[in-house]
Amino acid sequence: MLVERQDIAKFCEILRKGGQKVVFTNGCFDILHAGHVTYLEAAKAHGDVLVLGLNTDASVRRLKGPERPINSELDRAKVVGALKSVDYVVLFGEQTAETVIAEVKPDIYVKGGDYTLDTLPEAKIVQSYGGKVAFIDMVEGRSTTNIINKIKS
């Protein structure tokens, strides 16, 4: 379910007051693949509710280049939101997820194992209110970039 950005802080506050442990992760999730599904299932296992911050089309272009994303933000939100592991999706367009994380205030912030506490700018925000950061190993060989390169070759 896609939650409007202006509603996400209050929405997550209601979840926490109801005793739900809120987990947050973020990314582009363009051309969904098995690595994404495995990662999101592992993220969900850290709590009760998984909120996924999805990069807007403009922010994906800034991060990945002018030919990305392949799928629009609303299509990506619909596909990723249909997964059993993802409870809610919120769009964000900033360079990092720091602002949306400050709004969500997740109990657990999950990122891929290619990051560390030192390389993850969002970690300081999560730790500032007592939240925890967890890292999940990436699934080797599974990436949207690999899929796009395979199609092009």
Side-chain angles (χ1 to χ4, degrees):
M1 173 194 209
L2 183 61
V3 178
E4 293 295 326
R5 177 70 180 267
Q6 69 268 15
D7 299 329
I8 196 66
K10 187 168 182 86
F11 188 81
C12 288
E13 182 182 335
I14 291 168
L15 291 171
R16 283 190 302 279
K17 284 184 177 176
Q20 301 290 301
K21 183 184 280 188
V22 176
V23 179
F24 182 88
T25 193
N26 60 284
C28 302
F29 298 95
D30 193 15
I31 307 181
L32 202 62
H33 54 75
H36 288 140
V37 173
T38 300
Y39 172 81
L40 293 169
E41 288 172 346
K44 173 69 177 266
H46 283 273
D48 302 308
V49 176
L50 178 60
V51 178
L52 185 145
L54 187 67
N55 289 83
T56 62
D57 291 347
S59 69
V60 173
R61 279 190 288 279
R62 284 193 308 271
L63 292 167
K64 306 282 186 177
E67 295 183 357
R68 302 277 299 272
I70 302 299
N71 294 298
S72 73
E73 61 195 31
L74 293 180
D75 283 357
R76 291 181 286 122
K78 186 169 187 171
V79 171
V80 78
L83 296 175
K84 185 177 178 183
S85 57
V86 177
D87 298 291
Y88 304 102
V89 178
V90 61
L91 297 172
F92 75 99
E94 297 90 343
Q95 186 71 22
T96 70
E98 293 169 282
T99 303
V100 71
I101 286 173
E103 294 166 1
V104 170
K105 292 187 176 59
D107 297 286
I108 309 284
Y109 176 49
V110 175
K111 278 302 276 186
D114 50 336
Y115 289 93
T116 67
L117 285 177
D118 293 331
T119 63
L120 189 63
E122 297 89 348
K124 289 178 185 168
I125 291 170
V126 175
Q127 293 171 327
S128 73
Y129 60 82
K132 295 181 180 174
V133 179
F135 297 99
I136 295 173
D137 290 335
M138 305 299 285
V139 178
E140 287 293 322
R142 303 288 191 276
S143 79
T144 297
T145 300
N146 286 348
I147 292 170
I148 291 171
N149 289 340
K150 188 173 183 179
I151 291 169
K152 286 180 176 177
S153 64

